[in-house]
Amino acid sequence: MRVTDAKAGVCLFCAFRWGARERLSLRPSKSDESNTVHGFKSLDVSPKNNIKSQPRQQLQRATRGRIAEEDLITIAIERLEQFFEQTNDPVFLVKIGLVANTAKTHFAKFKSDLLRSFKEWSESRKRHVPPPILGVLRQAYTENGESGIDAQLKFALQGHIANSTFTRSDILNQVRLADLRYPYEWYPATRAIQRKIHLHVGPTNSGKTYHALKRLEAASSGIYAGPLRLLAHEVYSRLNALGKPCNLITGDERVQVEGDEVNMASCTVEMVPVNRNVEVAVVDEIQMIGNDHRGWAWTQAVLGLKAQELHLCGEERAVPLIRELAAATGDQLEIHHYERLSPLRPMSTSLNGDLRKLRKGDCLVVFSRMQIHAYRKDIEKLTGKRVAVVYGSLPPEIRTQQAKLFNDPDNDYDFLVASDAIGMGLNLSIKRIIFESTSRHNGEQLKTLEVPDIKQIAGRAGRYRTAADAAKDIIIEGSVNSDANSSISVTVPATPGTNLGLVTTLERMDLPIVQRAMQSEAGPITTAGIFPPDSIILKFSKYFPSETPFSYILLRLHEIARVHTRFHLCNLRACIGTADLIQQVKDLTVADRISLCAAPVDTKDPGAHKIILALARCIATQSGGNLLDIHELNLEILDQPVTTDREYLKHLESLHKSVVLYLWLSYRFIGVFPSQAMAFHVKGLTEEKIDKVLTEISLNKNFKDHLKKLKEQAMLKAFQTQAGLAENGLQLSESAAMETLKLEDGMAALGVDDLPKDMSHGVPAG
């Protein structure tokens, strides 16, 4: 296949590959020679050309999305030269799948063909459309700058090496394996049974999960699958308290209840045992099936769980997709619609940053663990009242205690400061939700919360019942229609005028976003996430030379995969980062690499790099996995006195992530990592020290002002993007943006002076 036939927007490898033994050529086809590209300047891109002489100022002035072709070529050649300089580094060669004695030859051929294609393009003034190679490089540069071009060049080189060994039969077999259009077929045992799917949909605090759990409680065997460990813990505790023995299964923790008749399990959704026969299974937050990163786990649960009754709980926008999936699997579907049990209303004013305006039953939602503890201290100092805290990584016993303290109306724990984890179904008697911010850090930048996220968190206000109340209630039975795809409505009305839930913000600049979100409806979920099963990856990898980087194999599989329009492939970024880190470890099997790539590794944390390498070497050698023998673990930090120094906290958090990773691997490589009990002990000690540090931290005014400035910048950027200005390279002035917000939302109090004058883009980590 000639590159001239390739589609724009594909990866660099696909835009730059050989057909069956065919020499690469980007020579324009005859149909293109009659077309003219206006304003394109011929550029000498021969290897001897002095790249440094190109005008870098011109590149700096051009925005990424509007960079000219000749400037893009200049950057690509410069990155190619730097890429070539690294071929003398043995570690680098291992990472990209080259051996020293052939590296120069492979790279020279790759470089020659790429430069030739650039030169042919630059000398031809008659092409109507630039070659696909430039489209791919432009997209990579627009999204990730020069690092994006580096990644595409590396991918193309790996493709050049691997593709030179493929026969036509190999390529056809790869394409066949990469046919992922029918994931229903991945679970043949489940397809052999007739299931009844109950889809419980409605807004937050409508009783949908409550009704599903009541059915689980009445079953002889069952599984609960939730999005968070804390929810799995909550259901695990609830079932055991009711005399229904239940095991806990999360990625880094397994709790086996004693006894022979343990037929219940509470899991995080990624850990669902799909091959286990049960009477009832409950999958919570089904709308996350459309998530770009974790959606595959919900799809796996929906398609794979071997349950006589499968109860799915979530938002109304999941209905069309679940209806399609049920029709494709041949399962019966019954849809239960619920209405909110108590009214919910956004307020017309914010707290204007004044924590003294808090009222009993208020919950301040904060998106940073450090800020949670800092706000707790500030509120207690300003109001004289006690504050409970709840967040995902809080140990279950402490979290339950804190929730009870807040729910008890007869003590002085008047307020709650919590993370967004409360949006996933924790039973808390919250009267008013207050957003500390409407933007959060996604690991790369501050981003405004999506409408469904705001509505889900806000919906926790005016909670109709707490866990204690729910235990006393009797399930409200609705008439059941046994026809497939039937739909019934179950409505549990609240007492008029009671349990009114209110929603507002701490700062007035965030209020218009919350008000707009509460009046908006998110569109339906159109695709379900999938990820290739291990068996497919194993078979696919056999077509590549043993030294081929595993990251390239994953990328190649995703690149040629055929996916039905009902599904989407989940993001590979975390897997690719881990695969590159462990590439240098020899004697790892493909199955080992698959497991390691699924592990909870923070590839952005430099400290995590040496830990995953050390653990990978233990797996490769099948030895050295005792916790105390892994010298890369900074256990000495536990002997140091607790301080509020940021570096000390960073080391503690890094150790905690490392121990969690050790525990996660200990369940998959039992013979290699035997120090499970000690790891849990170290994890507990680390959590205690982290909590001590956080309880002593308070945010000074300068840091708070800095955070406020960053949030305002993120809000302005989001508004410009929505207005379609960013794509056109235009800038909306700060005053104009805020005036527009005032007109849209009627918030006359939102002044222009609230915006910072310095529009720098620095974002503090965490």
Side-chain angles (χ1 to χ4, degrees), residues 112-159:
S112 173
D113 286 329
L114 188 61
L115 291 173
R116 184 191 310 114
S117 68
F118 284 156
K119 187 172 183 179
E120 287 176 355
W121 158 245
S122 66
E123 291 175 349
S124 173
R125 298 171 177 268
K126 297 182 179 181
R127 288 184 62 90
H128 178 63
V129 179
I133 238 182
L134 287 180
V136 173
L137 289 174
R138 177 183 295 281
Q139 181 179 354
Y141 183 68
T142 300
E143 294 177 358
N144 297 302
E146 293 181 350
S147 63
I149 290 181
D150 291 344
Q152 288 290 0
L153 289 174
K154 172 183 152 187
F155 184 47
L157 174 59
Q158 291 167 344

Side-chain angles (χ1 to χ4, degrees), residues 378-520:
D378 288 350
I379 293 169
E380 289 182 343
K381 182 178 179 180
L382 288 170
T383 65
K385 298 289 186 179
R386 304 295 300 275
V387 178
V389 295
V390 169
Y391 49 88
S393 59
L394 202 62
E397 298 79 11
I398 299 176
R399 185 173 59 245
T400 301
Q401 178 195 48
Q402 292 288 303
K404 286 181 178 178
L405 289 170
F406 176 71
N407 286 338
D408 186 351
D410 300 323
N411 62 26
D412 60 348
Y413 278 83
D414 287 3
F415 314 119
L416 175 69
V417 181
S419 71
D420 57 330
I422 64 165
M424 292 290 186
L426 288 177
N427 290 300
L428 296 161
S429 299
I430 299 169
K431 296 179 181 178
R432 181 171 63 167
I433 287 287
I434 301 162
F435 285 88
E436 183 270 337
S437 172
T438 54
S439 58
R440 66 175 301 172
H441 203 273
N442 65 359
E444 297 178 358
Q445 60 181 339
L446 279 175
K447 289 199 70 175
T448 302
L449 295 174
E450 300 289 341
V451 168
D453 298 329
I454 291 176
K455 295 182 77 171
Q456 187 168 42
I457 296 170
R460 295 301 160 190
R463 188 81 177 156
Y464 183 68
R465 56 171 67 87
T466 64
D469 300 325
K472 302 173 185 177
D473 291 343
I474 300 175
I475 186 170
I476 298 176
E477 298 286 355
S479 59
V480 178
N481 187 333
S482 60
D483 294 336
N485 298 318
S486 63
S487 175
I488 66 172
S489 294
V490 179
T491 304
V492 185
T495 305
T498 62
N499 295 319
L500 171 65
L502 297 173
V503 185
T504 187
T505 60
L506 180 62
E507 302 290 348
R508 57 184 179 180
M509 67 177 178
D510 292 305
L511 187 58
I513 294 175
V514 170
Q515 290 175 325
R516 189 186 301 112
M518 297 300 292
Q519 297 169 359
S520 303

Side-chain angles (χ1 to χ4, degrees), residues 219-256:
S220 59
S221 60
I223 292 172
Y224 169 81
L228 301 174
R229 280 176 294 178
L230 62 88
L231 289 181
H233 271 283
E234 187 171 281
V235 173
Y236 157 78
S237 301
R238 171 176 175 165
L239 290 174
N240 281 301
L242 292 171
K244 304 283 289 190
C246 177
N247 293 329
L248 177 69
I249 308 174
T250 69
D252 56 13
E253 185 178 11
R254 312 279 173 89
V255 180
Q256 302 287 333

